[in-house]
Amino acid sequence: MNRYLPVARQHFLAALASTSVVVKSISAVVVLIYLLSWAVDARYALGVTPGYLFPPNFWVWTLVTHGVVEQHVWGVAANVGTMMACGRLLEPLWGALELLIFFAVVNVSAGLLAGLSYLLTYVATFDLDYLFAVRVHGAAGFLGGVLVALKQTTGDTTVLKVPQVRLKAAPALVLLLLALLRLSGMLDTSADLAAYSYGALSGWVYLRFYQRHSRGRGDMSDHFAFASFFPEALQPAVGLLAGLVHAALVKVKVCRKMVKRYDVGAPSSITISLPGTDPQDAERRRQLALKALNERLKRVEDTSAWPSMDDEEDEDELRTDTQPLLPGPSAGPGGASLSSSASSSSVSQSGGGPSVGGAQHPESSIISFEDAPSRS
């Protein structure tokens, strides 16, 4: 175990050095607040408490700071690891500024929605513990948003081979795991489950409708629809329900309507961009096809090996030993025809013509070669 620690430390420092200032700064803040929590109750001052978030207290700064507050060392490791994954996988595609915007949007939305849900629960139950005993903090909310973003960019990447699990199934699997941990009593409160759920939802809404990029805003491809987060058996029902909710949000001007885009200024012909045919989706499918082709070619190269020279020499020797050079006198019908034809040719050469009286001599079966008479 000890010999692997220097290697892991080296890889961690190399990965940290390759990230931007945004990732390094957020990671440093997480570690600093964890060290500060040994002296003061950082969860109370910087975490989201539903009773203090809304008026008359209105602790709005906790919406920004709750994502970097950790109480245990494994929480610090999970938080820093999530930021490192963003620096390696998302930041090269988005840029440091867009990553910072995504971090702020997901954390603020997750904290606000979680606090509002606990407030509504208090209204239904009149239990003050839902207002003042709950602390929403940690990387659960941002982790949900990051897994949704990874589903959008590299969803077809295989995480586990046995059983085969792709990255696009990670948001639902982590949600199921947190729910099981809460039901088994291993989680004290449902704050992490609520923060993760709202973080994944807010991340999907932002990436689906509002993120700005070179092709416009949002990602309306079919592989990133809301129903794609659920099992295939539930996708039709979820898709119908999501369509009704989206239509209602379009009417109140919260979401934009999916429209067809025509680029009449294209040099070749009219370019039509439809939902489900997004260029990013096409590029993702092209990369997947290239990866499958490379794996197939590699398997073919591994299975087809060139024969060695020793094998060829052994085959030649075996062929030489098993096949005779000339057939013997008792070789069968082929040998009899060969001897008879040879005897007839020798008789014709020695006698200068056909034999008289049809007499056959035993010497006729011997093939002889004589020198031809020389000409003067």
Side-chain angles (χ1 to χ4, degrees), residues 300-308:
V300 171
E301 291 177 357
D302 293 340
T303 54
S304 60
W306 290 95
S308 61

Side-chain angles (χ1 to χ4, degrees), residues 134-214:
V134 175
R135 301 286 188 271
V136 180
H137 66 91
F142 187 59
L143 177 62
V146 169
L147 291 180
V148 170
L150 292 178
K151 178 187 183 302
Q152 179 196 26
T153 55
T154 58
D156 293 320
T157 303
T158 302
V159 180
L160 295 176
K161 293 185 178 181
V162 180
Q164 187 175 12
V165 177
R166 297 186 182 275
L167 191 56
K168 61 183 179 182
L173 292 178
V174 175
L175 178 62
L176 180 61
L177 177 62
L178 291 176
L180 292 177
L181 292 177
R182 175 55 183 162
L183 292 176
S184 63
M186 298 182 67
L187 293 179
D188 297 335
T189 64
S190 59
D192 291 335
L193 179 60
Y196 176 84
S197 303
Y198 290 124
L201 179 62
S202 59
W204 176 80
V205 171
Y206 174 75
L207 296 175
R208 181 75 169 177
F209 301 103
Y210 299 106
Q211 186 186 38
R212 294 184 179 273
H213 43 75
S214 59

Side-chain angles (χ1 to χ4, degrees), residues 5-307:
L5 292 179
V7 178
R9 179 176 176 272
Q10 183 179 0
H11 285 288
F12 174 77
L13 294 178
L16 185 62
S18 61
T19 57
S20 66
V21 180
V22 174
V23 176
K24 295 176 182 177
S25 300
I26 296 177
S27 301
V29 170
V30 171
V31 176
L32 181 62
I33 293 179
Y34 170 70
L35 297 177
L36 186 63
S37 65
W38 292 354
V40 296
D41 190 3
R43 293 189 306 158
Y44 174 79
L46 301 178
V48 172
T49 303
Y52 298 137
L53 179 61
F54 301 102
N57 298 291
F58 214 63
W59 289 9
V60 292
W61 68 85
T62 58
L63 295 176
V64 181
T65 59
H66 76 93
V68 294
V69 177
E70 296 292 347
Q71 186 180 6
H72 305 285
V73 64
W74 54 83
V76 176
N79 205 324
V80 175
T82 303
M83 292 306 305
M84 296 288 294
C86 292
R88 295 293 298 272
L89 301 176
L90 297 179
E91 190 178 18
L93 302 176
W94 296 351
L97 180 59
E98 180 61 29
L99 179 61
L100 182 61
I101 294 175
F102 183 73
F103 178 80
V105 168
V106 170
N107 279 305
V108 171
S109 301
L112 180 62
L113 293 175
L116 183 61
S117 64
Y118 280 109
L119 178 63
L120 295 178
T121 306
Y122 163 73
V123 173
T125 60
F126 293 100
D127 189 356
L128 289 176
D129 290 339
Y130 289 109
L131 290 181
F132 300 103
V134 175
R135 301 286 188 271
V136 180
H137 66 91
F142 187 59
L143 177 62
V146 169
L147 291 180
V148 170
L150 292 178
K151 178 187 183 302
Q152 179 196 26
T153 55
T154 58
D156 293 320
T157 303
T158 302
V159 180
L160 295 176
K161 293 185 178 181
V162 180
Q164 187 175 12
V165 177
R166 297 186 182 275
L167 191 56
K168 61 183 179 182
L173 292 178
V174 175
L175 178 62
L176 180 61
L177 177 62
L178 291 176
L180 292 177
L181 292 177
R182 175 55 183 162
L183 292 176
S184 63
M186 298 182 67
L187 293 179
D188 297 335
T189 64
S190 59
D192 291 335
L193 179 60
Y196 176 84
S197 303
Y198 290 124
L201 179 62
S202 59
W204 176 80
V205 171
Y206 174 75
L207 296 175
R208 181 75 169 177
F209 301 103
Y210 299 106
Q211 186 186 38
R212 294 184 179 273
H213 43 75
S214 59
R215 299 177 305 277
R217 297 179 65 179
D219 181 9
M220 308 304 296
S221 57
D222 291 339
H223 85 280
F224 197 55
F226 185 75
S228 64
F229 290 87
F230 294 84
E232 294 183 359
L234 301 177
Q235 287 184 6
V238 175
L240 179 60
L241 181 61
L244 296 177
V245 174
H246 178 261
L249 294 177
V250 168
K251 289 184 179 180
V252 296
K253 306 298 181 181
V254 175
C255 296
R256 62 185 180 89
K257 186 179 180 180
M258 293 185 297
V259 295
K260 301 178 180 179
R261 294 176 295 175
Y262 301 90
D263 187 8
V264 296
S268 58
S269 60
I270 296 178
T271 302
I272 303 176
S273 179
L274 301 174
T277 60
D278 192 85
Q280 186 176 1
D281 191 17
E283 178 66 19
R284 183 184 63 86
R285 296 180 184 275
R286 187 180 70 86
Q287 294 293 338
L288 180 62
L290 289 177
K291 181 180 179 181
L293 179 60
N294 292 331
E295 291 179 354
R296 184 174 300 177
L297 291 176
K298 185 178 180 180
R299 287 197 300 266
V300 171
E301 291 177 357
D302 293 340
T303 54
S304 60
W306 290 95

